[in-house]
Amino acid sequence: MRGNNMNQLYTDRLARVCSRLREQGLTQMIVSDPLSIGYLTGVWIEPYERLFAFYIRTDGKHIFFLNNLFVIPDIDVTKVWMSDTDDCIGIVASHVDAGSDMGIDKSWPARFLLDLMERNPGVRYVNSSACVDQVRSIKDEYEKEKMRESSRINDACMEKAAAFVKEGMTEKECADYIRSLYKEEGCEEGFETIISFGANAADPHHEPDDTVLKAGDCIVIDMGCRKDGYCSDMTRTFFCKKEDPEYAPIHDLVRSANEKAESLIRPGVRFCDLDKAARDLITEAGYGEYFNHRLGHSIGMQDHEPGDVSLANTAVVEEGMTFSIEPGVYLPGKFGVRVEDLILVTQDGCEVLNKVDKHWKNIG
């Protein structure tokens, strides 16, 4: 990455984005999302309120717009430096092509975009986030291994967390322990860990509190870490000391829905059909109204990335995509269960990145 030339990895990613720009009939785009800029160049900056943008041209004459306070590696891209007192948008406007349509990503603040629109009023501005998002959704070999590594760590931490949980413990204590495990592994939480005991599990996004674990409670652990910039995400549901005879069959149902959807994953399958397969199984058992969220979400450098596994998404699965499969049933005031894996799409099927057993078991 460092040196006079950009690493071939980033060159290839930029070429893929430029190809999609051409498909949109565009020759230029401003990328402002720091994660996307890092993905395309290896330059990682948190700009806060300052202007930070990567100007992409399909002819390869890319430009970095940078504040003097930023420190970046010496890469082979034209750099335009600005101070806090400069007319930053005026400088940008003078460097871009004022005679061609301009792609803009969804992250650029209106205070910058509106000013640029006034400076170059003859330009048509187009939301071209998909040109970057779609490229990011197809993981290259480097990213695939990073996703596997993050999930391997998450698996190990889930096993340790399940062994740690005991009757009388609070949700917060369990969440704190998981955070300590991630720290030991040299990574961080990818999102706030969800720990739900008993009736709290009926809220899919319950935040850990001082609820104390009791024998017979269900235990939902939804956890994920970020390692070397890539996220993991997994959910397992257990019972404390003894399973509830009413709820254990529901756990089996949800696990079966998870496995049903995973068995169908291969390039060319529609995301909506994956959701429908899992949802139909749960609905036929009489719990359809209690499966109240989409089946999954895309994941990579962020725990939730553009693209999902839902009835509304008619796009097709492609090799290299990574997303979650996480059906659930949530009975208000009583019980909740979710079983979640991450999936990496292969040439003729999929690789389930999580290896922790999905069957219910008693812990605590």
Side-chain angles (χ1 to χ4, degrees), residues 58-204:
T58 55
D59 63 6
K61 298 177 181 178
H62 314 309
I63 299 175
F64 257 121
F65 294 105
L66 301 156
N67 189 282
N68 290 332
L69 296 177
F70 301 158
V71 178
I72 69 168
D74 181 22
I75 63 173
D76 188 20
V77 175
T78 298
K79 305 170 190 68
V80 175
W81 295 93
M82 299 172 283
S83 73
D84 287 348
T85 57
D86 285 335
D87 176 12
C88 296
I89 291 299
I91 292 172
V92 172
S94 70
H95 282 81
V96 301
D97 183 353
S100 300
D101 295 345
M102 171 70 77
I104 300 289
D105 77 10
K106 59 185 178 292
S107 299
W108 213 30
R111 68 180 184 275
F112 296 140
L113 174 57
L114 293 174
D115 195 358
L116 181 61
M117 293 172 71
E118 290 180 1
R119 304 296 182 104
N120 291 342
V123 176
R124 182 174 70 99
Y125 294 88
V126 181
N127 182 350
S128 295
S129 291
C131 292
V132 180
D133 294 342
Q134 290 168 2
V135 170
R136 278 179 54 180
S137 73
I138 308 296
K139 306 302 186 287
D140 53 41
E141 293 305 315
Y142 171 84
E143 294 179 290
K144 290 175 185 177
E145 188 50 43
K146 290 301 178 184
M147 292 297 296
R148 292 185 183 106
E149 181 182 8
S150 187
S151 287
R152 282 195 295 266
I153 292 171
N154 211 32
D155 276 0
C157 292
M158 175 68 83
E159 297 278 19
K160 291 178 181 178
F164 174 79
V165 173
K166 296 291 185 292
E167 183 180 7
M169 183 176 295
T170 68
E171 294 172 342
K172 284 183 177 178
E173 287 174 319
C174 183
D176 288 343
Y177 177 70
I178 290 170
R179 278 189 286 270
S180 73
L181 292 176
Y182 288 152
K183 186 175 181 179
E184 289 175 7
E185 292 288 349
C187 55
E188 60 186 1
E189 278 186 310
F191 56 90
E192 184 173 356
T193 300
I194 296 173
I195 306 293
S196 307
F197 297 159
N200 290 343
D203 174 4

Side-chain angles (χ1 to χ4, degrees), residues 191 193-194 220-224 233-235 326 338 340:
F191 56 90
T193 300
I194 296 173
V220 173
I221 303 179
D222 185 345
M223 55 189 280
D233 189 0
M234 170 178 50
T235 307
E326 49 181 303
R338 183 165 60 257
E340 175 188 17

Side-chain angles (χ1 to χ4, degrees), residues 8 13 37 130 132 167 318 349:
Q8 187 63 41
R13 292 173 181 176
I37 293 175
V132 180
E167 183 180 7
E318 297 182 56

